[in-house]
Amino acid sequence: LRVREGFAVVAFGWLVVGLLGAVPGWLSGQMPSFTDAAFESISGFSTTGASILTDIESRTHGTLFWRALTHWLGGMGIVLLAVAILPLLGVGGMQLYRAEVPGPVAERLTPRIRETAKRLWGVYVLLTVLEVAALMIAGLGPFDAICHAFATMATGGFSNHNASVGGYGLPAVEWIIIVFMFLAGTNFSLHYLALTGHWKAYPHDEEFRFYGSIILVAALLIGGALFLAGTFEQAGETVRATLFQVVAIITTTGFGTEDYLLWPPIAHAVLLALMAVGGCAGSTGGGIKVMRVFILLRHAKIELKKMLHPRGVFTLWFNDRAVSPGLQTNVLGFFLLFVVVYVLGVVILTLGGRDLLTSIGATAATLGNIGPGLGQVGPASNYAFFGIWEKWLLVLFMLIGRLELFTVLVLFLPGAWRRS
């Protein structure tokens, strides 16, 4: 396959799988219409977790399990795309980890796609099994434990409860999900290295350290605001609720234990920023990716240095490797495209009659593959009220965000369809 065909296979393949996944829900009558079934299916396979179901608990076990399974399959599918396929097309956050590039991560992962897939699937299955066991010990039944483990490891967010994870009222369950959401938002290559005895891969990885730092700073800001506002009576509740929501949003899992729209405004601002950042490269998380944000910030720092030292020569480093100018341009282009698509989505939804906050929240939540957003699509709401054209627009945003923007948007160029 040439590069052009590679883009088409990835983009249309994901769309076809999502549409086929809609058939069971549509034919069984569990979904109101094919549009709703397609929305729910593509939301599952893209690990977005945005739902049109108003009463989840009334659905059959078959429907709930299928929703969770679409998450789980889509989650590992995204990791394999990010690690093995998209870098070959010049797209994706894993370009620094390509097998031919020396470094602490790539050099220990086989360059053969089949072997890479086997090893990553092994890590994925192991973490899923561990979470299922932990959730059952904490008090969940086997069915709920399996469905929530599928949704957690895929950073999807579909829950079997109308009130999401908070509906169970089990602090132990919330702490377990916090840990596994954090792991799911981490580069799976690091998990593989840790399981093979290279535990230092975590602290040595700059993206992982930056990922942890973002979570810590965001938790301190939101937790401090909640403490000052007296939102919770106990400090332990404040810490747990804050960490859960921060990790759920930055990893784009989208689970909820509280309605964060009732929190102070600073919490909304911080969570909105986390929606854009997303998880690490090579994880099941969506968003811009922590690695790209890291490179963008370092690039901005270098540009400031150039203002003071016009004749200076500066190199952008990442994990002790020089980042090529081409990759820097790729990251800048990705960020620009993300902003353009995001603003365009907000404008279209607003012109369609939605209020600004809902338009911002829905676009951020679908483009970042998060699920819950702001306004009418907050953690206590759903997407059922949107019209048919709005749902298909949001489906497009889910696919664009999940497949790293370039993979889908390049197909809109006339040159992609010309015979060469």
Side-chain angles (χ1 to χ4, degrees):
L1 290 178
R2 294 171 297 177
V3 172
R4 180 170 59 182
E5 284 77 15
F7 284 122
V9 168
V10 171
F12 288 113
W14 221 263
L15 176 61
V16 169
V17 167
L19 294 177
L20 288 175
V23 174
W26 180 45
L27 294 181
S28 65
Q30 289 290 301
M31 301 294 169
S33 66
F34 182 77
T35 293
D36 288 331
F39 185 96
E40 199 80 6
S41 175
I42 293 176
S43 177
F45 279 110
S46 66
T47 72
T48 303
S51 181
I52 52 83
L53 297 180
T54 55
D55 186 7
I56 298 171
E57 295 169 22
S58 67
R59 305 298 165 174
T60 64
H61 273 48
T63 300
L64 297 178
F65 182 77
W66 178 240
R67 293 167 81 236
L69 186 61
T70 59
H71 269 344
W72 197 67
L73 294 175
M76 178 44 59
I78 287 302
V79 172
L80 294 181
L81 278 174
V83 174
I85 298 175
L86 294 183
L88 301 179
L89 300 177
V91 177
M94 286 297 294
Q95 290 179 77
L96 289 180
Y97 296 113
R98 290 183 62 175
E100 66 265 33
V101 179
V105 173
E107 64 186 6
R108 294 187 179 90
L109 278 180
T110 172
R112 291 174 294 183
I113 294 178
R114 182 180 299 177
E115 290 302 315
T116 299
K118 287 181 181 179
R119 295 176 184 186
L120 291 176
W121 262 113
V123 174
Y124 195 59
V125 171
L126 176 62
L127 290 175
T128 303
V129 170
L130 289 175
E131 185 180 0
V132 170
L135 290 175
M136 289 177 65
I137 293 172
L140 289 191
F143 182 75
D144 281 355
I146 291 172
C147 289
H148 282 83
F150 280 3
T152 303
M153 290 314 304
T155 63
F158 279 154
S159 175
N160 297 344
H161 206 288
N162 289 331
S164 191
V165 176
Y168 294 103
L170 297 172
V173 169
E174 295 174 21
W175 280 114
I176 290 168
I177 291 179
I178 288 172
V179 171
F180 281 93
M181 284 193 299
F182 178 81
L183 294 175
T186 303
N187 187 333
F188 271 71
S189 300
L190 298 181
H191 297 327
Y192 171 77
L193 292 178
L195 290 172
T196 54
H198 301 89
W199 291 96
K200 292 183 179 179
Y202 290 120
H204 286 176
D205 186 74
E206 286 189 290
E207 183 186 31
F208 180 79
R209 296 200 302 267
F210 189 49
Y211 171 57
S213 300
I214 293 174
I215 291 174
L216 180 61
V217 171
L220 288 174
L221 288 173
I222 295 177
L226 294 177
F227 178 76
L228 293 175
T231 306
F232 299 98
E233 295 182 1
Q234 299 179 355
E237 276 188 280
T238 304
V239 172
R240 187 176 71 251
T242 300
L243 271 178
F244 190 98
Q245 213 57 69
V246 166
V247 177
I249 295 299
I250 192 172
T251 61
T252 71
T253 308
F255 277 141
T257 56
E258 302 288 339
D259 186 357
Y260 54 74
L261 294 183
L262 303 177
W263 292 0
I266 187 174
H268 304 166
V270 173
L271 291 176
L272 185 61
L274 294 179
M275 288 180 187
V277 174
C280 296
S283 73
T284 56
I288 294 174
K289 297 293 188 302
V290 174
M291 190 189 74
R292 286 196 181 96
V293 175
F294 184 86
I295 291 176
L296 281 170
L297 291 176
R298 283 214 167 164
H299 182 84
K301 182 179 179 181
I302 287 177
E303 291 301 314
L304 289 175
K305 286 183 176 180
K306 287 181 179 178
M307 300 283 289
L308 295 175
H309 309 284
R311 296 185 179 181
V313 178
F314 303 95
T315 302
L316 199 160
W317 296 89
F318 178 79
N319 279 344
D320 299 324
R321 280 172 278 167
V323 179
S324 67
L327 184 53
Q328 293 182 49
T329 302
N330 183 288
V331 171
L332 291 171
F334 182 94
F335 180 74
L336 176 61
L337 269 178
F338 189 92
V339 172
V340 168
V341 174
Y342 175 76
V343 172
L344 186 62
V346 172
V347 170
I348 293 175
L349 289 177
T350 305
L351 290 175
R354 299 298 168 189
D355 64 275
L356 181 60
L357 188 60
T358 298
S359 299
I360 291 174
T363 305
T366 51
L367 191 60
N369 305 119
I370 298 154
L374 301 174
Q376 290 179 274
V377 292
S381 307
N382 56 60
Y383 289 73
F385 64 89
F386 281 109
I388 293 177
W389 72 267
E390 292 172 312
K391 288 175 181 174
W392 283 109
L393 177 66
L394 296 177
V395 162
L396 178 62
F397 289 160
M398 291 181 206
L399 291 173
I400 290 176
R402 185 72 278 184
L403 298 179
E404 302 275 286
L405 271 80
F406 291 123
T407 311
V408 178
L409 296 180
V410 72
L411 298 177
F412 286 89
L413 296 177
W417 302 97
R418 292 177 187 151
R419 292 185 178 181
S420 57

